[in-house]
C-alpha cells in the first residue's frame, strides 16, 4: 500500500490530521521535462472540510498521468485552454478517489468519485460539482481515469463527434497503443472502418494487432521512409487521421490523405518538450485535398459524459472494447511516470496507484 | 485591338484559317517563375470544328490570370486536384469568349461563354458542357472571369459554405485587395461581420477601406510585428480567417484565432514559388482553440454556379459589391502578368484583354 508508511494519525481537536504527500511544480518548465522540475513534499491535511463549506475532501486511490500535463507546466503568455500550473503549488490531474469528508449534500463519506484532483494523497475539492460519481462499481475503479473516464471520452468524442466516420473509412491512428489511441482504433473497428496504427515498439505493434484488433500497425521508429510506409498501408489514402503526435508524422500524413479527409487534432505529444515546435510544410494539401483539420478539447464534452459512459460500459461488457493499463504505484513515482510518457515508456493507459481503499 | 495584327485570313477549302498565338509552357517550373518558363508561339487554326464532333471553337476575348496556374506548372509526382500543364503544350486558364463555330446543339455562333480555355486567341473546346453561357449581358463581359465567374464563386463558396459565418463575426482576409479577397470582405460586410484585410501596399490598403468597405486594413510589408498588428486589429481574436497567402501570416493568425474559429484555406500564394514550403509551427493552436481549418476547391462548386450568379448579380445591381479589375492587353502579356501576381503587382482581379469582339 503506497501511502501507508507516510500516514500518521494525530488526534487534534477532534479532527484527524493525516500526512499528505504531494507533487509540487518547482518552476515553469522549458525544454525537456526532468524530475528536477517537480518535488515531492509532505504536508498535513485535516480530515474535515472547513465549517460552512460545500467542499469535499477525498482520499485518492488512482491518479492519471497524461501528456497534456506537460502543457500546463509552461508559462503561457496568454490564457490557455486550461490554466498553467503555479510554481510552488501542487500539480493537478484526474483521479479516482473516495470521499472522506463532505460539506456537499450530493456527496457522502464513502462515495467513489472521479474528476480533477491534486497530485497528492488527499485533496480538498472546493467545487465538487466538477466530480462524477462512479455509476458502474462492477468495473475496476481505475477504468474511471481510463476507458470510462476522460481518456475514453476523448477517444469517443474525437472519433464520433469530430471525425464523423462512415463505415468503410480508412482510419490512421498515431500513438495508437497509448491511452486514447487504443480506444480510437477499437471504436473505429466497431464502426466498421479499416484501421492502421503507429507505435514506437514492436511490443506495442503486436498489441495493436492482437489485442485491439487493428487491421495493420507499424513501428515508426523502424521505418526508413514514413511516406512509403503510409503509402503501403493506405494505397488508397487516409479518410480519417486521429492525430496524437504532431511533427513529422503529421507532415507525412498530409501527403497521404484522401480528398475530403478529416484530421482530428487531439494532441501533439512529440512537440510538448520542444520550445520551438517543428514546422509543418505540407499544409497546402489541406487546400488541394479539401481536408478538414479540426481540434477538440475533451472538457467541452463533459456535459455528454453520462451518455458516453453507458455506451462505453456496454461495449466493455460485450467484449468489444479491451483496455491495457500501465500501472505504477506510489505518489512518489508520479514525476517519473509523467516523464516516461514522452519517451513512450508506457504501454497503454498510464496510471499510478496512490492508495488501496 | 490586341490580335488584329496577327490575324491573317486564308481561304482554304472553304475553311477560314486564322493565325493563333498561344502561350506554351516550356518545361516544368522549379523555384521562382520567370518569363523564360513560357513562350509565345503562333500556330494556325481552322475556323471550323471537326466534322461530326460536338466541339465548339471560340474566339477568346478575355483571359484570367490566377495564382493557381503556377501550381499547374510543377511536375507533381502524384495526381493533383487539377492536372499539371504539359511542357510544349498550350497552358490553360479561364476565359470569356465568343463562339465562332459549333458542333454542339446548345451553342451557336455568336454565343458568349466563359469557362476553361487555352492561353491563346482561339480555342477548340472539346467538351463544351464545361462552358457556361453568359446570362447577364448587362454587365461587362470581363465580370465573368471575375466577380461573376470562378473568382466570385470562390469567394462566395469559401465564405458562406466553408466558413459558415454568423453576423458579428470577426473576419480577417489576407491578400484582401486581390481578386478573391476583395469579394470575401464585401460579402462579410453584407453578412454583418467586422472585417479587416491585409495587403502589400498603401494604395491597396486605401482601396480596402474606401472602395470595399473593410472596417480596417494594414500593409503587412510595413508592420514590424505581425502578431502585435493582429492583436491591435483583433483584440478579441479572429473568428474567421480567409487564407489566401500561407507562410508567416498563417502562422501568426493561428496565435490570434478565437476559440472555435474557422480557417478557410483558399490558397497560399506566398508558397507557390518555393520548392520547400515554409514550416508552420503554431498548429497546436488548432487543438487548444478547437479551430477548424478546411480547404476547398472551387471546381467542387460549379454545380451551384447559377444560384451564385443570380445572387451576386443582385448584389452588384444593388451597389453592395464593387469590383476592381487590373487589366492588361494582348496575349503576349499573359506571362508577365502571371509572374506579377507573385510580387503583388496587380491591384484587384488580374485579367488580359485578348481581343475586341
Amino acid at each position: 500500500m503506497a501511502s501507508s508508511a507516510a500516514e500518521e494519525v494525530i488526534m487534534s481537536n477532534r479532527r484527524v490530521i493525516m500526512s499528505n504527500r504531494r507533487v509540487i511544480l518547482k518552476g515553469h518548465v522549458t525544454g525537456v521535462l526532468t524530475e528536477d522540475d517537480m518535488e515531492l513534499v509532505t504536508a498535513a491535511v485535516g480530515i474535515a472540510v472547513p465549517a460552512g463549506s460545500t467542499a469535499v475532501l477525498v482520499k485518492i486511490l488512482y491518479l492519471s498521468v497524461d501528456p497534456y500535463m506537460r502543457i500546463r507546466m509552461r508559462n503561457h503568455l496568454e490564457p490557455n485552454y486550461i490554466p498553467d500550473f503555479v510554481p510552488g503549488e501542487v500539480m493537478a490531474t484526474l483521479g479516482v478517489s473516495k470521499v472522506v469528508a463532505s460539506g456537499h449534500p450530493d456527496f457522502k463519506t464513502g462515495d467513489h468519485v472521479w474528476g480533477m484532483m491534486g497530485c497528492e494523497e488527499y485533496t480538498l475539492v472546493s467545487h465538487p460539482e466538477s466530480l462524477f460519481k462512479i455509476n458502474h462499481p462492477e468495473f475496476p475503479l481505475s477504468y474511471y481515469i481510463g476507458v470510462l473516464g476522460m481518456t475514453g471520452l476523448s477517444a469517443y468524442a474525437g472519433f464520433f463527434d469530430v471525425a464523423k466516420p462512415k463505415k468503410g473509412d480508412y482510419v490512421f491512428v498515431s500513438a495508437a497503443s497509448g491511452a486514447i489511441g487504443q480506444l480510437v482504433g477499437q471504436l473505429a473497428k466497431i464502426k466498421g472502418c479499416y484501421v492502421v496504427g503507429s507505435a514506437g515498439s514492436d511490443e506495442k505493434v503486436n498489441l495493436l494487432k492482437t489485442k485491439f484488433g487493428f487491421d495493420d500497425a507499424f513501428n515508426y521508429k523502424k521505418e526508413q521512409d514514413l511516406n512509403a510506409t503510409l503509402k503501403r498501408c493506405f494505397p488508397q489514402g487516409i479518410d480519417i487521421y486521429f492525430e496524437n503526435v504532431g511533427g513529422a508524422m503529421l507532415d507525412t500524413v498530409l501527403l497521404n490523405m484522401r480528398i475530403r479527409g478529416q484530421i482530428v487534432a487531439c494532441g501533439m505529444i512529440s512537440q510538448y518538450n520542444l520550445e520551438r515546435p517543428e514546422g509543418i510544410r505540407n499544409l497546402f494539401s489541406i487546400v488541394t485535398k479539401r481536408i478538414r483539420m479540426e481540434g477538440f478539447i475533451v472538457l467541452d464534452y463533459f456535459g455528454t459524459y453520462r451518455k458516453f459512459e453507458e455506451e462505453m460500459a456496454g461495449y466493455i461488457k460485450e467484449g468489444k472494447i479491451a483496455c491495457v493499463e500501465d500501472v505504477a504505484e506510489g505518489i512518489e513515482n508520479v514525476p517519473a511516470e509523467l516523464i516516461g510518457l514522452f519517451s513512450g515508456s508506457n504501454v497503454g493507459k498510464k496510471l499510478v496507484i496512490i492508495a488501496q481503499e
Side-chain angles (χ1 to χ4, degrees), chain A:
Chain A
M1 190 175 135
S3 62
S4 61
E7 284 189 3
E8 190 184 342
V9 180
I10 307 166
M11 295 302 294
S12 163
N13 294 331
R14 292 184 300 178
R15 284 173 62 191
V16 181
I17 307 294
M18 309 289 276
S19 81
N20 185 29
R21 291 187 298 168
R22 18 176 42 195
V23 181
I24 302 294
L25 180 71
K26 284 164 75 176
H28 288 304
V29 180
T30 54
V32 176
L33 181 67
T34 69
E35 293 213 37
D36 282 346
D37 294 315
M38 294 164 271
E39 187 175 11
L40 188 74
V41 301
T42 303
V45 61
I47 302 295
V49 295
S53 145
T54 57
V56 164
L57 184 77
V58 300
K59 178 183 179 183
I60 294 177
L61 306 177
Y62 299 95
L63 283 179
S64 182
V65 179
D66 298 294
Y68 78 91
M69 295 168 71
R70 172 66 186 83
I71 298 164
R72 301 188 69 179
M73 301 167 101
R74 289 179 183 270
N75 184 18
H76 287 91
L77 300 177
E78 296 172 32
N80 200 9
Y81 73 102
I82 191 165
D84 295 341
F85 292 145
V86 178
E89 296 192 6
V90 68
M91 290 164 48
T93 184
L94 290 158
V96 172
S97 59
K98 189 171 177 176
V99 174
V100 292
S102 174
H104 196 286
D106 292 348
F107 297 91
K108 62 179 194 301
T109 302
D111 280 351
H112 286 110
V113 295
W114 75 269
M116 195 58 75
M117 306 173 179
C119 284
E120 56 191 342
E121 293 173 301
Y122 294 90
T123 283
L124 187 71
V125 181
S126 307
H127 298 285
E129 301 79 11
S130 68
L131 298 175
F132 292 94
K133 277 203 245 191
I134 281 172
N135 282 352
H136 287 277
E138 68 273 24
F139 294 119
L141 279 172
S142 61
Y143 278 20
Y144 278 88
I145 46 176
V147 60
L148 287 172
M150 186 197 73
T151 304
L153 183 58
S154 294
Y156 183 89
F159 186 65
F160 288 115
D161 193 75
V162 185
K164 297 184 172 62
K166 298 182 300 294
K167 186 178 174 181
D169 275 352
Y170 294 95
V171 176
F172 177 53
V173 185
S174 54
S177 74
I180 294 175
Q182 61 177 242
L183 300 177
V184 171
Q186 293 176 89
L187 292 171
K189 289 312 300 175
I190 289 171
K191 182 70 185 176
C193 302
Y194 180 86
V195 190
V196 179
S198 65
S201 76
D202 291 346
E203 176 197 5
K204 293 176 182 178
V205 166
N206 187 51
L207 200 63
L208 293 176
K209 292 184 186 174
T210 57
K211 177 94 178 169
F212 299 130
F214 281 61
D215 296 289
D216 202 354
F218 63 88
N219 177 352
Y220 72 91
K221 291 180 180 170
K222 280 192 169 172
E223 298 292 332
Q224 299 296 310
D225 177 347
L226 265 183
N227 192 29
T229 305
L230 288 175
K231 283 186 172 37
R232 184 185 74 225
C233 293
F234 295 100
Q236 64 301 94
I238 299 166
D239 290 303
I240 293 174
Y241 172 47
F242 199 98
E243 163 68 310
N244 290 313
V245 302
M249 184 67 86
L250 172 59
D251 226 357
T252 312
V253 165
L254 281 163
L255 299 176
N256 288 280
M257 293 296 292
R258 285 182 105 172
I259 288 175
R260 290 183 198 86
Q262 325 292 327
I263 297 177
V264 180
C266 175
M268 297 185 178
I269 191 171
S270 71
Q271 307 298 299
Y272 299 166
N273 270 332
L274 304 179
E275 281 313 288
R276 188 172 191 232
E278 293 175 83
I280 302 297
R281 299 183 189 275
N282 296 322
L283 281 176
F284 190 59
S285 291
I286 288 184
V287 179
T288 57
K289 296 182 177 178
R290 303 80 147 167
I291 293 167
R292 174 172 64 98
M293 179 172 181
E294 187 163 346
F296 77 102
I297 296 290
V298 67
L299 299 173
D300 296 340
Y301 291 90
F302 274 18
T304 69
Y305 172 71
R306 292 299 180 193
K307 176 180 169 295
F308 151 78
E309 182 190 20
E310 291 312 309
E311 186 170 335
M312 187 62 94
Y315 292 143
I316 299 168
K317 285 177 184 169
E318 293 163 23
K320 290 183 177 168
I321 291 276
C323 58
V324 168
E325 297 174 335
D326 187 323
V327 182
E329 192 164 349
I331 182 79
E332 66 278 10
N333 289 315
V334 166
E337 297 300 327
L338 178 58
I339 290 163
L341 287 179
F342 300 97
S343 57
S345 71
N346 60 304
V347 178
K349 170 63 192 166
K350 171 58 71 184
L351 59 91
V352 180
I353 301 173
I354 304 302
Q356 311 287 347
E357 291 217 31

